[in-house]
Amino acid sequence: MSDRVFPSSKPGANAAATNPTASDTVNPTAPPKKTHLTRPPYRPQPHNRRYRTRSGRSIFCCCCFWSFLILLLLILLAAIAGAALYIMYRPHRPSFSIPSLRVHRLKLTTSADSSSSHISTLLNLTIISKNPNSHLTFFYDPFTVSSFSNDVFLGNGTLPAYSLSKKNETSFRDVVISGSNNLDADSVNTLSSDLKKKSSGVALKIQLDTKVKVKIGAIKTKKLGIRVTCEGFKGAVPKGKSPTVAVTTDSKCKVDLRIKIWKWTF
């Protein structure tokens, strides 16, 4: 029977396995090696804030757009309703005229030392009010009637409240305007030059202010302010107790709405 021969282990290989080289030894003073498994700390990215900002802006722009669109729609509906009412009723402004104006007193006095001046006025006039509409009725509050000469206030008076039905007119006779006022230097210079013109007379302006309510069928509007301005009068200064008749052939009256918004009147 033959004997088996087993090779002996190499001492060099065992020594290499049990004795590490200098390169494989761990240096205790060296810093530890960084591995790829460590993760940096989480930091919020700035693009998230931008996304939220853009989202808020888009919502704001969307709200502005729809608000503007609704406002335009309301304006359009109001314009359509106004056009329909105008076509159905054909509204016209009321008309006013002053066919007669008499000057009883128009006297300017100045003190001896020219330190103060005073104007005394007494006018008598006739006012005619007309309603040219076939479907509208006007309800007027009391009027304040004022007189001016080149924007210098002369005096005032009143008219009572009244209503004016469709296609109707009314007249007020012997409407008295009186005043007694002190004047400044500029007003005195303006009036004194006109008072000296005996041929042409003094330019007079009559102004009426009130509020009116309009009835259209069964609908009544809120009160609206109106101003009636009548110009083109020429009145001579009376001599003695007899009044002078002012020239009214070139007089015209204009009616304007007076809309008050907070402190301003347009």
Side-chain angles (χ1 to χ4, degrees), residues 209 211 225-227 256-266:
D209 291 288
K211 290 184 178 181
I226 63 169
R227 170 169 289 180
D256 295 316
L257 287 175
R258 302 282 291 172
I259 300 174
K260 188 174 183 179
I261 300 176
W262 197 28
K263 296 182 181 180
W264 297 277
T265 303
F266 303 92

Side-chain angles (χ1 to χ4, degrees), residues 58-183:
S58 62
I59 294 174
F60 177 75
C61 293
C62 184
C63 292
C64 291
F65 171 76
W66 283 108
S67 300
F68 182 71
L69 188 62
I70 292 172
L71 180 62
L72 286 181
L73 182 62
L74 292 176
I75 293 174
L76 180 61
L77 292 176
I80 293 173
L85 288 175
Y86 180 81
I87 293 173
M88 290 175 61
Y89 298 106
R90 295 286 181 179
H92 297 279
R93 295 184 182 185
S95 63
F96 292 82
S97 61
I98 300 178
S100 173
L101 193 155
R102 290 176 293 174
V103 182
H104 289 265
R105 184 171 64 248
L106 189 59
K107 187 177 181 180
L108 177 64
T109 57
T110 306
S111 61
D113 57 355
S114 301
S115 60
S116 62
S117 297
H118 188 82
I119 183 71
S120 180
T121 310
L122 180 60
L123 307 178
N124 187 291
L125 57 149
T126 299
I127 300 174
I128 297 177
S129 174
K130 295 182 180 181
N131 180 6
N133 297 278
S134 301
H135 304 279
L136 276 68
T137 301
F138 295 107
F139 299 89
Y140 295 101
D141 283 357
F143 285 75
T144 299
V145 187
S146 306
S147 61
F148 299 87
S149 177
N150 293 327
D151 294 330
V152 178
F153 178 75
L154 301 178
N156 56 16
T158 58
L159 274 183
Y162 67 96
S163 62
L164 203 56
S165 58
K166 312 165 187 176
K167 289 288 184 180
N168 204 348
E169 70 175 55
T170 186
S171 61
F172 297 91
R173 301 182 183 276
D174 297 328
V175 179
V176 176
I177 298 177
S178 61
S180 181
N181 310 303
N182 294 322
L183 301 178

